[in-house]
Amino acid sequence: MQKRDRGLATTTMEQKKLQYIQEDLERSRSFLQQQLKSLKLSIPFNYNKIFCVGMNKTGTESTKAALIELGFQFAPQLPGERMLKDWAERRFDKLINFCYEYQCFKDIPFSLPYTFQILDTHYPKSKFILTIRDNSQVWFESIKRFHGQLFSQGKTPSWDDLESASYVYKGWIAEASKYIFQADDYGLYDQSRYIEVYEFHNQMVREYFRYRSDALLVINTASEGSYDQLCKFLDVSPVRTKFPHLNKSQ
């Protein structure tokens, strides 16, 4: 009888020990899943981050949609836009820390001059995508029309319209016009001024990566074959034949 009791006790202890092992394995599995999730898909690829550095209204929304469909994860846009003044003062410490948490990025301040050089330094082996329009005139008309739709019922916005607009926070879009295009009540939507900034930025990006074609892709999302170029650049299999067309302002 005592042997039987000892046998039962041994079996119970072994069952409890097995239960503890199973619970520990489950905790370990859960922890590893969380760690893999936090890596934001960085493991399967031989590059670090993806920075979309084309200026606003160059197909950045379509690029984002295509990348998400391919399985990439984008950072929220608002925190970056709130760093506009930091960008104007060339202070990038917050931005560098922000980028650590995510995989893909677009629009302000990533779409502005000087940002990409800092990101390339702090996040080596990253990919940069410069989206462009058919020509500078097309881009200017698109951004002017888009702002009109957002801030002034379809008309070219005035400085007062921008100062009273509540995008990001009240007056943010007016600050953006001042910091990026040196435009206030004077020079607002001056075609030559805006196009000069647009072309300067594009030229800076191209020149910086001149001898590193593996790091930079220049594409017009409306062009035939541009989607396949993107997939080849990122070494992923395409899931469609061309870019989705989003955020259309014409």
Side-chain angles (χ1 to χ4, degrees):
M1 188 71 177
Q2 289 180 343
K3 287 183 179 180
R4 184 181 177 187
D5 291 341
R6 282 199 299 271
L8 287 172
T10 301
T11 301
T12 302
M13 287 179 63
E14 289 176 347
Q15 288 175 338
K16 286 184 177 180
K17 194 182 293 184
L18 180 61
Q19 182 181 349
Y20 292 147
I21 292 172
Q22 289 174 333
E23 290 174 353
D24 190 52
L25 285 172
E26 180 60 30
R27 283 192 295 269
S28 298
R29 186 179 69 85
S30 178
F31 173 76
L32 287 172
Q33 284 180 334
Q34 289 299 318
Q35 291 299 303
L36 286 171
K37 185 178 179 182
S38 72
L39 290 176
K40 309 292 185 186
L41 294 179
S42 62
I43 289 176
F45 304 107
N46 60 357
Y47 46 88
N48 193 351
K49 310 284 185 181
I50 300 174
F51 297 107
C52 301
V53 297
M55 295 193 78
N56 297 53
K57 301 309 298 173
T58 59
T60 56
E61 278 296 323
S62 296
T63 304
K64 175 183 176 180
L67 289 173
I68 289 175
E69 192 176 44
L70 288 166
F72 296 96
Q73 297 178 346
F74 262 82
Q77 193 167 318
L78 186 59
E81 290 174 327
R82 288 186 177 277
M83 297 179 204
L84 174 64
K85 192 171 188 295
D86 294 274
W87 171 84
E89 296 173 353
R90 307 298 184 257
R91 292 190 288 111
F92 297 102
D93 51 326
K94 291 180 186 175
L95 185 67
I96 291 165
N97 291 333
F98 172 69
C99 291
Y100 180 78
E101 300 293 328
Y102 302 96
Q103 184 185 27
C104 301
F105 310 84
K106 76 174 188 70
D107 291 344
I108 293 173
F110 304 97
S111 58
L112 301 179
Y114 311 110
T115 307
F116 64 89
Q117 298 99 316
I118 296 294
L119 297 174
D120 182 48
T121 300
H122 284 272
Y123 293 99
K125 297 185 179 180
S126 290
K127 296 286 192 178
F128 293 80
I129 301 171
L130 176 65
T131 45
I132 59 174
R133 296 298 294 264
D134 291 341
N135 56 60
S136 302
Q137 179 73 34
V138 169
W139 168 79
F140 172 72
E141 293 297 336
S142 180
I143 197 166
K144 183 173 70 169
R145 183 169 48 250
F146 184 61
H147 285 182
Q149 292 171 352
L150 287 179
F151 308 123
S152 59
Q153 300 179 329
K155 307 186 299 276
T156 300
S158 66
W159 184 249
D160 288 340
D161 290 329
L162 299 189
E163 284 195 312
S164 61
S166 295
Y167 179 77
V168 182
Y169 53 78
K170 187 176 180 180
W172 181 90
I173 192 67
E175 290 181 6
S177 299
K178 180 177 69 174
Y179 292 146
I180 301 168
F181 301 106
Q182 297 79 53
D184 47 28
D185 197 23
Y186 174 79
L188 190 62
Y189 298 107
D190 176 80
Q191 177 176 307
S192 60
R193 181 175 302 194
Y194 280 61
I195 285 178
E196 182 181 5
V197 173
Y198 171 73
E199 292 181 346
F200 171 73
H201 173 65
N202 289 350
Q203 183 59 35
M204 276 185 69
V205 175
R206 290 175 186 268
E207 181 62 29
Y208 182 85
F209 291 104
R210 174 183 290 199
Y211 300 111
R212 293 169 54 199
S213 58
D214 61 321
L216 176 68
L217 174 68
V218 181
I219 52 169
N220 181 339
T221 59
S223 296
E224 191 73 27
S226 58
Y227 179 81
D228 286 337
Q229 284 181 280
L230 174 72
C231 293
K232 184 178 180 180
F233 178 65
L234 298 176
D235 194 23
V236 294
S237 299
V239 296
R240 56 166 61 235
T241 57
K242 56 184 173 180
F243 280 94
H245 195 177
L246 304 177
N247 217 4
K248 190 175 181 180
S249 61
Q250 53 189 5

